[in-house]
Amino acid sequence: MATGLKDVLPEVPGLAEHWGHGVVHCPYCHGWEVRDEPIGILATGAASIGHALLFRQLTEDLTYFTHGTELDEDSRARFAARGIRVIDTPVTEVVSDEDGALAGVRLADGQVVARRVLAVAPQMQARTHGLEGLGLPVQDLPTGRTFASGIDGTTEVPGVWVAGNVTDPVAQVGASAAAGALAGIDINKVLAVADTDAALQGIAEGSPQGATGRS
Ligand SMILES: Cc1cc2nc3c(=O)[nH]c(=O)nc-3n(C[C@H](O)[C@H](O)[C@H](O)COP(=O)(O)OP(=O)(O)OC[C@H]3O[C@@H](n4cnc5c(N)ncnc54)[C@H](O)[C@@H]3O)c2cc1C
């Protein structure tokens, strides 16, 4: 199973259509492209505080929209020390320019704050839908519920391996592909043993196919 995950964004009108372009989540994926731009952090919870510090490495023009989330005094002081502006008025809409690019956010008081990029820490939901019948055990991680896996993507269900974001939400492409390779190697080992077991059984039963049988 390598069904990945779904990024669930806050329900702010105009936000979703910019996903992966003007709306980003990962400083390592998008950092180069958004460097030195006016960036806004649309907070979704405590994880957004660390997120802001990462994006601050990429731009000196960073605004943190608390958007109903808590921001403690210590974090406010740390943000002030790094020149990160904080806005507590809720965001009601993401505004686009005439070319369709992200232009800013509209606040509940009607003010528009110009931004070229919004960084959002989405809620990550492993794509387990439709796979419930397999009976795979799940695990609750701080980043959300995923399929539980052992070494090399093994699971408690014989014949099912898992790899990538469906078991590890923070795995990027390299780690996901590596997990798939490790699972593939383990699957191949299991098949090689199964072929050998079948061959041995065939010989024991006097079958001429025994030595060449394949799983
Ligand atoms: C906007 C964005 C930018 C990113 N940029 C980078 C980057 O620059 N570098 C980087 O390393 N990582 C980046 N990532 C993260 C990267 O996309 C993931 O780490 C990677 O795709 C995880 O691979 P995966 O195979 O686990 O899942 P996915 O790539 O999500 O693949 C899962 C596949 O399974 C399919 N699927 C789902 N359910 C079913 C089903 N029931 N039956 C059949 N098929 C199904 C899906 O359609 C999908 O094709 C980015 C992510 C996002 C959202």
Side-chain angles (χ1 to χ4, degrees), residues 21-164:
H21 300 280
V23 174
V24 302
H25 69 310
C26 168
Y28 310 107
C29 306
H30 305 279
W32 177 257
E33 289 79 6
V34 306
R35 72 195 184 286
D36 300 327
E37 294 280 4
I39 300 178
I41 302 287
L42 182 63
T44 55
S48 296
I49 297 172
H51 212 204
L53 299 182
L54 295 177
F55 276 92
R56 176 62 184 80
Q57 305 292 82
L58 298 167
T59 182
E60 294 188 358
D61 184 356
L62 187 66
T63 302
Y64 189 91
F65 300 94
T66 53
H67 196 55
T69 63
E70 199 182 324
L71 186 64
D72 59 88
E73 288 309 316
D74 179 57
S75 298
R76 284 178 192 267
R78 293 166 71 77
F79 280 6
R82 293 291 274 134
I84 301 171
R85 181 179 170 211
V86 176
I87 293 183
D88 291 309
T89 312
V91 171
T92 56
E93 187 191 359
V94 172
V95 181
S96 303
D97 66 17
E98 53 199 20
D99 298 323
L102 195 145
V105 297
R106 192 182 310 282
L107 305 180
D109 61 8
Q111 185 195 165
V112 172
V113 181
R115 297 288 90 188
R116 296 307 294 179
V117 176
L118 276 183
V120 182
Q123 187 202 337
M124 295 188 278
Q125 277 180 2
R127 281 209 204 89
T128 57
H129 181 72
L131 306 172
E132 297 84 357
L134 290 170
L136 285 168
V138 294
Q139 58 189 351
D140 285 310
L141 303 176
T143 43
R145 174 165 290 193
T146 68
F147 286 142
S149 69
I151 288 174
D152 298 336
T154 51
T155 72
E156 287 175 15
V157 179
V160 182
W161 283 253
V162 292

Side-chain angles (χ1 to χ4, degrees), residues 190-215:
V190 169
L191 293 178
V193 171
D195 281 347
T196 307
D197 289 347
L200 203 56
Q201 191 175 353
I203 289 168
E205 291 170 358
S207 159
Q209 301 285 315
T212 56
R214 284 193 191 138
S215 302

